[in-house]
Amino acid sequence: AQTVTQSQPEMSVQEAETVTLSCTYDTSESDYYLFWYKQPPSRQMILVIRQEAYKQQNATENRFSVNFQKAAKSFSLKISDSQLGDAAMYFCGIRGGSEKLVFGKGTKLTVNP
Amino acid sequence: NAGVTQTPKFRVLKTGQSMTLLCAQDMNHEYMYWYRQDPGMGLRLIHYSVGEGTTAKGEVPDGYNVSRLKKQNFLLGLESAAPSQTSVYFCASSYGGGNTAKNIQYFGAGTRLSVL
């Protein structure tokens, strides 16, 4: 079974500052990928970034980057130059060899002007 | 492109009533999924399908049935609704399985269901 833990139910950041959201996971599989989804108040689930476990280089997408520590089973999301539009729930997740995505319980990010 | 479309967006049911949620995707995806989202619980997989005519159970399948008669549609049914099924339901689809970039899951906008 795969599990995902997001230890920060809520986080806040000042506009233009940097924030890091934590995520740890557990899996017995060797082939998997990790991802972060964003859910703004509109409820729409939006893929922010993904990382294949076999890749050593950390994924980046514009202001979003991850710190993937495979041995520690850690997959944190860093948001640089935070914007008001970044305010949302963020879900970390994992998908292994089965067809199922397993999500964490989410972190609510507030961006203060 | 419409992507993944869910209908209805909101629904209120009385205990014991039945209903069907419809998910439609126009991306020619093979895989489709139904999740429920509850406060503090993240998203949990109810059922999924790896192709037309196939279905499989997810993490929380009890009280739900699904059908995939057409590739583009995935229906979620509640035969006898219970208050515990009050939730937000999300449909998603992906090109296929496996851990490649093309198999990202795309989500619909969700259906908010209240069972009184």
Side-chain angles (χ1 to χ4, degrees), chain B residues 6-33:
Chain B
Q6 292 183 232
T7 53
K9 289 184 169 51
F10 303 94
R11 185 72 185 268
V12 178
L13 290 178
K14 294 182 179 179
T15 298
Q17 287 185 319
S18 63
M19 77 161 294
T20 300
L21 305 183
L22 171 64
C23 177
Q25 51 91 7
D26 62 0
M27 297 175 281
N28 200 34
H29 284 172
E30 287 292 335
Y31 288 51
M32 297 187 74
Y33 313 80

Side-chain angles (χ1 to χ4, degrees), chain A residues 99-100, chain B residues 32-33 45-50 54-58 74:
Chain A
E99 311 310 328
K100 307 171 186 178
Chain B
M32 297 187 74
Y33 313 80
L45 184 65
I46 304 172
H47 286 281
Y48 63 100
S49 168
V50 300
T54 75
T55 63
K57 293 180 180 180
F74 195 30

